[in-house]
Structure formats: structure tokens, C-alpha cells
Amino acid sequence: MGNTIGITVFEGAEELDFVGPWEVFTASAGLLERAGADPDRVVLVAADTGPVRCGKGLRVLPDATFADHPALDVLLVPGGRGTRRGAEDPQLLGWIAATAARATWVTSVCTGSLLLFVSGVGKGRRLATHWGFEDQLAALGADVVRDARWVRDGNVVSSQGVSAGIDMSLWLVGQLHSPAHARATQRFMQYDPAPPYAADV
């Protein structure tokens, strides 16, 4: 039986923070299914079923709500401007804490680490976040790692900003299945991030 991966979305979530991991996990699932293995299931989870407007205007429809989603093996929390409001939302924070307590892996991208920290899940853990938010997260008392695209502390895995979530998700696919399968997923996606910027003009 495959894993169930839940990605939470909220108003102001950064699009690539969750769409990048979504692509990784669903590409992985497709390759598994093609090979005759049980595929992982990926679901978008939000407070309700209404459209969610993300940070740059993309609107998405959740698959499930906080009240009716399937049991999650993996929880992913994206970042974006909406995390500042989310850090004061007891419903969202309570759901993250309760869901994290039952999940095998808890992950975040970008400033999603703020929600992990404020919910209590990330307290006492080493956390990565977007470079522009590192000082603010550290000022709250978090143990911020500043020199890694992603960092694992126990079952909590956090990544730096935006595209770093793809790297983290590929690593997690390697943990859920195998490094060889993660490499096959990366090849399928034609994801080759080095060098990060090759153009001179």
C-alpha cells in the first residue's frame, strides 16, 4: 500500500512551494504505478473546500478539509506571505500539530517552517527557511540552519525557499522508496538544477 501525502494550502501560500513538491510526489507515483507497485496518493488539504487564492494569484481547489482528509503518512506545509496570518490562526496551527503527531514525516518549504515552529512541531528542531526570513525565525527562538537547501531533524524535514522544496521532496522520495527511484523521478522531471543560473545577460 502506498503512502498518503497531504499538502496543506491556505490563502497566500507560495505557489511553487507546494506545486513543486506536488510534481515530485505525483511523478514518483506515476513511475511506481507503471512498474506495477502501489502508488503514493497526494492530496491538497485546506480548512474548507472553497477555492484558495495563493500568493501570486493562482487559485486551487482542495481535495479534502482538515475535518475529512485521509490519514497522512507525510505532511507538507508550504510557505508564502500567508504564513504570517497562518501563524495567528489557531485552527491551522492546531491541525498542523495534531496531524504531525500522527504522520511519519513532517515537512515544510520556505516560511512554512514558521508554522511548524509556532504550532510547536518545530520547537527544539533544526529548521531551514527562506534566506530572507532566517533572522526573523531565529529571533522567535528557532534553531535556524542557514547553509543547507534542506535539513532533517528526526522526522521533521524543512527546506529553504521556493525551489528548494523540489530538492527536499526528491530526497524524501528516496526515503519513502529508494534512492534509485528518486533518481528516476528526477530524470523523468528533467530536473537538473546545477548550475542554478548559467546566463550572462
Side-chain angles (χ1 to χ4, degrees):
M1 184 174 181
N3 301 283
T4 301
I5 301 166
I7 300 176
T8 188
V9 287
F10 44 82
E11 294 292 316
E14 181 68 25
E15 284 85 345
L16 193 58
D17 282 8
F18 68 89
V19 174
W22 176 279
E23 178 68 25
V24 172
F25 296 136
T26 55
S28 165
L31 293 176
L32 290 168
E33 189 169 32
R34 187 181 304 172
D38 289 335
D40 296 331
R41 177 186 179 192
V42 190
V43 293
L44 281 185
V45 185
D48 57 55
T49 57
V52 176
R53 184 176 293 277
C54 303
K56 294 184 173 66
L58 178 71
R59 291 191 298 170
V60 296
L61 288 174
D63 300 301
T65 71
F66 293 165
D68 67 7
H69 64 82
L72 303 180
D73 300 292
V74 178
L75 169 63
L76 185 140
V77 180
R81 292 191 301 273
T83 57
R84 281 58 160 188
R85 292 190 301 274
E88 299 177 352
D89 181 345
Q91 181 188 24
L92 175 60
L93 297 175
W95 178 80
I96 289 172
T99 305
R102 298 187 294 268
T104 303
W105 293 98
V106 182
T107 70
S108 68
V109 182
C110 195
T111 55
S113 55
L114 170 65
L115 299 182
L116 292 189
F117 184 77
V118 175
S119 69
V121 176
K123 289 190 176 176
R125 309 274 194 158
R126 293 177 300 128
L127 297 171
T129 193
H130 189 280
W131 61 264
F133 193 70
E134 289 173 344
D135 289 344
Q136 292 165 268
L137 187 59
L140 295 176
D143 183 359
V144 177
V145 176
R146 299 171 183 263
D147 58 356
R149 292 276 282 173
W150 51 265
V151 60
R152 173 192 180 181
D153 192 330
N155 73 328
V156 174
V157 189
S158 54
S159 64
Q160 292 181 324
V162 197
S163 65
I166 297 173
D167 297 9
M168 181 267 291
S169 299
L170 281 168
W171 176 85
L172 186 57
V173 164
Q175 300 300 303
L176 294 172
H177 300 288
S178 72
H181 178 70
R183 286 191 288 271
T185 301
Q186 179 174 351
R187 183 173 184 272
F188 177 81
M189 293 171 58
Q190 293 203 303
Y191 178 60
D192 185 14
Y197 184 75
D200 293 326
V201 294

